[in-house]
Amino acid sequence: MTTIIDGNEIADRIRADVAERARRLNDEGVTPGLATVLMSDDGGSKTYVSMKQRACEETGIEGIHHEIDPGEPAEVLFDRIDRLNEDPAVHGILVQMPVPDHVDTRTVLERIDPMKDVDGFHPENVGRLVAGNARYKPCTPHGVQKILAACDVDTEGKDAVVVGRSDIVGKPMANLFVQRDQGGNATVTVCHSRTADLAAKTREADVVVAAAGVPEMIDGEMLSDGVTVIDVGITRVEADTEKGYELVGDVDFESAKEKASAITPVPGGVGPLTIAMLMYNTVKAASLQSGVPVDLP
Ligand code: GUN
């Protein structure tokens, strides 16, 4: 029997816990605030940001959305970040990635006050994560850990194979898996576009996290029986549907589910967790900045 993991159900439970902590902060006169900044015309990015804003409403977080025309100079974005850094009502700042080519991503990430960096992408927060003293765990890999915990998959002593080495998912995922901590203690292999024999690596895995952004690159032939498969990929592929596209993961779901003991679908797997963990980090940010303690699970 293969478990098809319901990401929405797990995310709903986390969101309810986070909303409860947001209410507690509110009782102390602190309304958690999240500023989202979009500098892109990309349809996917627009959808993701509006989902993040909707989640704020449902969680008792004050969501403030900022849009900057992607044709504007980089300074317009930097100035906006400076203003948000100074605004005491804003506890978290999320600049939706990617930004336009003329805007240097590193400068954006370093411009955000590390205390407000609810993505966990600022070098200070990356360093803390690697050092085993995370302030804000990046939302998607943290969500993957929550999925594994909810499915009673203990990573300790297991072979975890991460496919993809992005700063947003692959690298922080590998770092979380390797930590001496709950959801860690795994033996970690990171595969990427230069990996010589990907299938040889994925076949050895107890847990595969697919985060390369290449539709259906991992199929059942590349997996062993009983593996747990977490599909982070979500690519819009042209299709004869009402919207003109469909969302496709990095895993060929039909063949992979014949091998897996548990597998996430796309959509409805990891995506809802990414948003839930952003709410989590925002409430944590409000707690750290106000000095009002909350015990986040
Ligand atoms: N683009 C894709 N995923 C993410 C994310 O987790 N955070 C931000 N800021 N941009 C993204």
Side-chain angles (χ1 to χ4, degrees), residues 1 14 21 31 41 49 63 77 79 96 131 142 158 162 170 180 215 227-228 232 239 243 247 277 286:
M1 263 300 287
I14 294 172
R21 273 61 174 189
T31 304
D41 283 332
V49 170
L77 174 59
D79 289 348
Q96 185 66 24
H142 194 190
K158 301 282 171 54
V162 178
R180 238 180 248 272
V227 64
T228 300
V232 178
K243 288 181 173 163
L247 299 173
M277 301 327 290

Side-chain angles (χ1 to χ4, degrees), residues 14 118 137-140 142-144 146 272-282 297:
I14 294 172
V118 284
K137 292 184 184 177
C139 303
T140 301
H142 194 190
V144 172
K146 293 287 186 191
L273 269 297
T274 297
I275 296 176
M277 301 327 290
L278 176 65
M279 302 300 111
Y280 180 109
N281 279 351
T282 303

Side-chain angles (χ1 to χ4, degrees), residues 45 48 52 94-98 109 119 121 138-140 168-169 274:
S45 290
Y48 296 138
K52 290 167 185 178
L94 177 138
V95 178
Q96 185 66 24
M97 298 293 162
L109 301 182
D119 268 320
F121 296 162
C139 303
T140 301
I168 293 181
V169 185
T274 297

Side-chain angles (χ1 to χ4, degrees), residues 94-192:
L94 177 138
V95 178
Q96 185 66 24
M97 298 293 162
V99 287
D101 288 345
H102 67 278
V103 181
D104 181 55
T105 301
R106 264 180 229 280
T107 308
V108 173
L109 301 182
E110 290 178 21
R111 195 88 171 204
I112 296 171
D113 179 342
M115 293 302 294
K116 298 192 176 187
D117 167 39
V118 284
D119 268 320
F121 296 162
H122 187 287
E124 180 179 311
N125 288 320
V126 176
R128 289 180 66 119
L129 174 78
V130 175
N133 183 28
R135 178 186 284 138
Y136 304 120
K137 292 184 184 177
C139 303
T140 301
H142 194 190
V144 172
Q145 282 190 310
K146 293 287 186 191
I147 288 175
L148 294 173
C151 300
D152 291 323
V153 176
D154 186 359
T155 49
E156 181 168 335
K158 301 282 171 54
D159 288 312
V161 173
V162 178
V163 184
R165 54 175 159 180
S166 70
D167 294 330
I168 293 181
V169 185
K171 285 188 211 167
M173 185 78 258
N175 270 308
L176 287 173
F177 275 154
V178 88
Q179 292 300 325
R180 238 180 248 272
D181 201 358
Q182 246 184 334
N185 290 312
T187 303
V188 184
T189 304
V190 182
C191 300
H192 47 75

Side-chain angles (χ1 to χ4, degrees), residues 211-241:
V214 180
E216 297 181 335
M217 70 179 293
I218 295 169
D219 63 20
E221 287 285 300
M222 300 167 70
L223 301 167
S224 296
D225 282 325
V227 64
T228 300
V229 179
I230 308 292
D231 191 352
V232 178
I234 184 157
T235 306
R236 284 186 175 192
V237 173
E238 255 184 58
D240 193 13
T241 62

